[in-house]
């Protein structure tokens, strides 16, 4: 049966709402997870008063952000100052569109591919969106007309350019193994057991470290390093504009975690699931759940690392990116080429 | 007007408007931002031509990497003072009057002598136009020499940059 345009439109709409809802829900509750885990790590409780176990805290925070006074300092360059938070937030949200969160769902007599957009250059699309996200931070730093903001913006653009290289090169091995830029084919090529992690642990490590730097997270959060730069690029921002930078950071974390799972941890694949001979609907749902669980693990790792490791110095950060991660990523490419040529992969 | 033409014309309008703003806006940073908008519009044209690989590469390389360096330079130099400057160099104006018609002429001939296969819209292109496989095959077969020559040139430029940036040991 040929699906009609209307049913396709409804299908796309449902998927868009699902993914955006998932990401926004994730962003909201990551703030809670972050604060509770920080509490546990530092041997205190964290926010536990609003609702059961503090679960309504993000909503209270959201309301606070919405109703706070939105201060626009007189010395800022207004057009870019107002545009910057949106420039930072929109790409982080758009990037999630190509992530496959499951294989396909057989429902109402047809197969529904579980991803919003099936671009044949999916991985490059995510890199493109992350490259666009830099402008939000850089322009926020510049338009604030404040030396701390400017330093934050400069650091951010330098850091993102440097680590983008290492990140891009660490992915090349995966692309060679899968022979495709389409994310779903990369997942399918890994199968239930042959995850890229086992064959390219070096690539996975480089990607993981670069992902921390790309999302401006500790120990690489130099752009907002409070001990030197007050709050870096968002020093002059308040209210919902500030919240948008925070939301962009968490949305980027979700994209990076999902990408890590997709590229190296078998995406939605569950080892041994095919042997169980479950009904197709159950298989699809288990796969989606597995994908979300794996992504959740990396999100937890982000928080864990932030409250465990001290911050790098800026020259150390650059040294690590150029002198350690870049050569290691190239080494991974050589290793993968050799493995493919000798018939290992 | 079909909905497809509506989209094309919309993007074309934004592309031309942003290109004009690059030249006419007084604030250097705004010019850079409009140049980014312009490059994204060109990427969208690639997308409309089904060349998804070129679309992504255009955004990553041009709108992403190269323009970040532009932003970087404008941030570092703080070009605010230049807002008041009006270029009054005579030679530049004469060259502009000479170069403008030349460019228009070149564009006009290019449009006039377009190959018949590029008329019309998506679908009329050879399948695989601008795809990853197609680009790779072209770079490593027909344009191998040019590709390698460009690589060598880039390596030379990189070595030059490293030598220029090196701290003087005394």
């Amino acid at each position: 049966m040929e699906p009609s345009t209307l049913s396709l439109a409804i299908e796309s709409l449902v998927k868009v709402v699902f993914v955006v809802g998932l990401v926004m829900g994730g962003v909201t509750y990551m703030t809670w997870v972050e604060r509770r885990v920080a509490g546990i790590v530092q041997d205190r409780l964290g926010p536990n008063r609003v609702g059961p176990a503090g679960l309504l805290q993000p909503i209270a925070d959201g309301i606070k952000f919405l109703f706070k006074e939105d201060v626009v300092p007189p010395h800022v360059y207004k057009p870019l100052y107002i545009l910057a938070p949106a420039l930072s937030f929109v790409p982080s949200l758009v990037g999630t569109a190509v992530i496959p969160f499951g294989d396909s769902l057989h429902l109402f007599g047809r197969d529904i591919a579980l991803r919003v957009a099936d671009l044949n250059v999916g991985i490059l699309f995510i890199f493109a969106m992350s490259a666009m996200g830099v402008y939000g931070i850089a322009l926020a730093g510049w338009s604030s007309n404040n030396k701390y903001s400017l330093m934050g913006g400069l650091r951010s653009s330098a850091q993102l350019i440097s680590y983008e290289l290492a990140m891009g090169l660490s992915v090349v091995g995966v692309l060679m193994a899968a022979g495709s830029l389409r994310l779903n084919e990369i997942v399918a090529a890994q199968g239930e057991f042959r995850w890229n992690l086992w064959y390219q642990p070096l690539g996975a490590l480089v990607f993981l470290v670069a992902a921390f730097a790309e999302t401006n997270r500790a120990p690489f959060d130099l752009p907002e390093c409070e001990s030197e730069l007050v709050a870096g690029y968002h020093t002059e921002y308040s209210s919902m504009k500030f919240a948008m930078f925070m939301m962009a950071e968490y949305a980027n974390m979700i994209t990076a975690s999902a990408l890590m799972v997709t590229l190296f941890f078998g995406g939605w694949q569950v080892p041994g699931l095919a042997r169980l001979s479950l009904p197709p609907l159950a298989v699809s749902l288990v796969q989606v759940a597995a994908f979300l669980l794996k992504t959740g693990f990396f999100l937890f790792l982000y928080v864990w690392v932030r409250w465990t490791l001290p911050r790098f110095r800026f020259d150390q950060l650059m040294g690590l990116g150029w002198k350690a991660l870049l050569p290691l990523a190239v080494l991974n490419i050589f290793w993968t080429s050799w493995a493919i040529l000798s018939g290992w992969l | 007007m079909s909905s497809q033409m509506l989209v094309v014309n919309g993007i074309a309008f934004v592309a031309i408007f942003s290109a004009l703003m690059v030249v006419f806006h007084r604030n250097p940073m705004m010019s850079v931002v409009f140049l980014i908008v312009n490059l994204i519009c060109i990427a969208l044209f690639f997308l409309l031509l089904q060349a998804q690989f070129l679309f992504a590469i255009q955004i990553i390389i041009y709108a992403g990497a190269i323009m970040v360096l532009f932003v970087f330079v404008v941030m570092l130099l703080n070009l605010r003072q230049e807002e008041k400057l009006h270029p009054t160099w005579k030679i530049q104006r004469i060259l502009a009057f000479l170069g403008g018609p030349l460019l228009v002429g070149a564009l006009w001939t290019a449009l006039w002598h377009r190959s018949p296969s590029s008329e019309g819209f998506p679908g009329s292109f050879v399948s695989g136009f601008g795809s990853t496989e197609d680009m790779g095959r072209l770079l490593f077969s027909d344009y191998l020499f040019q590709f390698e020559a460009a690589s060598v040139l880039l390596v030379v430029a990189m070595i030059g940059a490293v030598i220029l940036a090196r701290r003087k040991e005394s």
Side-chain angles (χ1 to χ4, degrees):
Chain A
M1 192 184 77
E2 193 65 25
S4 69
T5 319
L6 182 70
S7 65
L8 270 181
I10 292 173
E11 184 190 314
S12 305
L13 192 69
V14 170
K15 284 195 284 193
V16 168
V17 169
F18 177 73
V19 170
V20 172
L22 207 61
V23 174
M24 294 306 287
V27 166
T28 315
Y29 273 90
M30 273 310 287
T31 60
W32 176 79
V33 170
E34 175 117 70
R35 294 172 67 186
R36 286 309 299 255
V37 172
I40 295 165
V41 171
Q42 297 171 340
D43 201 13
R44 56 187 173 86
L45 283 175
N48 65 345
R49 293 287 149 164
V50 192
L55 273 172
L56 295 180
Q57 183 70 40
I59 296 167
D61 284 344
I63 293 170
K64 188 194 79 174
F65 273 129
L66 278 172
F67 286 104
K68 247 187 159 179
E69 188 189 353
D70 188 11
V71 184
V72 179
H75 54 77
V76 302
Y77 184 68
K78 255 194 190 166
L80 291 180
Y81 176 85
I82 293 169
L83 193 64
L87 280 182
S88 166
F89 184 53
V90 171
S92 70
L93 212 53
V94 175
T96 56
V98 292
I99 302 247
F101 50 90
D103 189 12
S104 64
L105 192 62
H106 195 73
L107 215 61
F108 306 123
R110 58 207 192 84
D111 282 319
I112 300 169
L114 291 180
R115 66 212 76 109
V116 175
D118 198 10
L119 280 183
N120 61 27
V121 290
I123 177 83
L124 291 180
F125 180 75
I126 291 184
F127 279 127
M129 284 307 115
S130 102
M132 290 295 98
V134 188
Y135 292 120
I137 294 176
L139 291 176
W142 181 82
S143 65
S144 293
N145 253 334
N146 166 327
K147 59 189 170 201
Y148 297 122
S149 300
L150 185 69
M151 282 305 295
L154 280 175
R155 280 181 173 189
S156 163
S157 33
Q159 175 177 335
L160 283 160
I161 299 172
S162 308
Y163 278 78
E164 215 160 60
L165 283 175
M167 199 182 205
L169 286 179
S170 71
V171 170
V172 171
V174 175
L175 302 183
M176 287 197 294
S180 172
L181 293 171
R182 203 185 281 265
L183 286 173
N184 205 41
E185 280 170 19
I186 292 173
V187 175
Q190 292 179 64
E192 289 192 346
F193 297 99
R194 295 160 54 84
W195 291 358
N196 282 324
L197 175 71
W198 316 130
Y199 297 96
Q200 306 177 26
L202 200 57
L205 184 73
V206 172
F207 185 87
L208 183 69
V209 177
F212 275 87
E214 284 279 304
T215 46
N216 285 327
R217 285 285 294 191
F220 306 121
D221 57 344
L222 276 303
E224 47 184 300
C225 169
E226 69 270 10
S227 53
E228 304 164 17
L229 298 179
V230 188
Y233 60 90
H234 53 58
T235 305
E236 301 286 2
Y237 283 89
S238 54
S239 179
M240 207 55 205
K241 291 202 192 76
F242 168 76
M244 277 178 92
F245 281 120
M246 285 285 103
M247 278 150 68
E249 182 182 318
Y250 284 101
N252 279 329
M253 275 163 61
I254 292 175
T255 312
S257 303
L259 201 57
M260 182 80 202
V261 170
T262 306
L263 295 176
F264 293 101
F265 287 79
W268 35 259
Q269 309 263 19
V270 184
L273 189 65
R275 296 237 183 111
L276 293 176
S277 61
L278 292 169
L281 188 66
V283 169
S284 302
L285 292 180
V286 168
Q287 283 174 338
V288 172
F291 178 78
L292 294 180
L293 259 178
K294 289 180 196 173
T295 309
F297 169 74
F298 282 101
L299 285 170
F300 176 73
L301 188 71
Y302 263 110
V303 175
W304 189 7
V305 166
R306 174 172 176 185
W307 297 102
T308 311
L309 295 181
R311 185 180 286 131
F312 275 59
R313 224 170 49 218
F314 194 67
D315 57 318
Q316 291 172 328
L317 173 88
M318 283 294 156
L320 179 71
W322 289 99
K323 292 176 192 161
L325 291 186
L326 203 60
L328 284 179
V330 174
L331 197 66
N332 180 56
I333 294 178
F334 276 114
W335 151 249
T336 315
S337 329
W338 183 76
I340 289 174
L341 282 178
S342 59
W344 254 51
L345 277 168
Chain B
M1 200 160 31
S2 70
S3 59
Q4 216 167 30
M5 281 316 285
L6 206 67
V7 173
V8 173
N9 286 340
I11 298 172
F13 175 77
V14 176
I16 292 170
F17 174 76
S18 58
L20 288 175
M21 289 311 276
V22 173
V23 182
F24 290 122
H25 208 284
R26 285 292 180 82
N27 191 322
M29 193 56 111
M30 283 306 271
S31 293
V32 173
V33 171
F34 277 115
L35 190 51
I36 296 168
V37 173
N38 185 262
L39 291 170
I40 291 174
C41 287
I42 292 168
L44 288 177
F45 279 127
F46 282 130
L47 192 61
L48 286 177
L49 294 170
Q50 309 280 322
Q52 298 186 356
F53 180 73
L54 288 179
F55 158 77
I57 289 296
Q58 167 84 9
I59 288 195
I60 295 174
I61 308 283
Y62 282 96
I66 292 179
M67 292 316 292
V68 164
L69 292 180
F70 276 56
V71 171
F72 211 77
V73 169
V74 174
M75 275 166 102
L76 279 178
L77 296 183
N78 209 5
L79 292 169
R80 293 240 133 181
Q81 297 90 330
E82 310 253 326
E83 286 170 36
K84 294 161 209 137
L85 274 180
H86 293 287
T88 47
W89 311 320
K90 284 267 164 57
I91 185 89
Q92 197 182 28
R93 290 199 170 176
I94 295 166
L95 283 178
F97 274 109
L98 287 175
L102 215 63
L103 192 64
V104 170
L107 278 176
W108 187 256
T109 23
L111 284 175
W112 207 244
H113 295 292
R114 63 184 170 186
S115 54
S117 68
S118 63
E119 274 183 55
F121 228 45
S124 57
F125 281 91
V126 266
S127 72
F129 164 77
S131 71
T132 319
E133 294 85 359
D134 205 41
M135 286 294 295
R137 201 170 295 124
L138 279 177
L139 282 182
F140 284 102
S141 59
D142 293 6
Y143 298 102
L144 182 65
F145 175 73
Q146 289 88 332
F147 182 56
E148 293 299 330
S151 319
V152 171
L153 203 63
L154 279 174
V155 171
V156 171
M158 264 163 64
I159 295 170
V162 168
I163 286 175
L164 283 178
R166 194 182 54 175
R167 217 170 276 152
K168 292 272 186 298
E169 308 283 348
S170 54

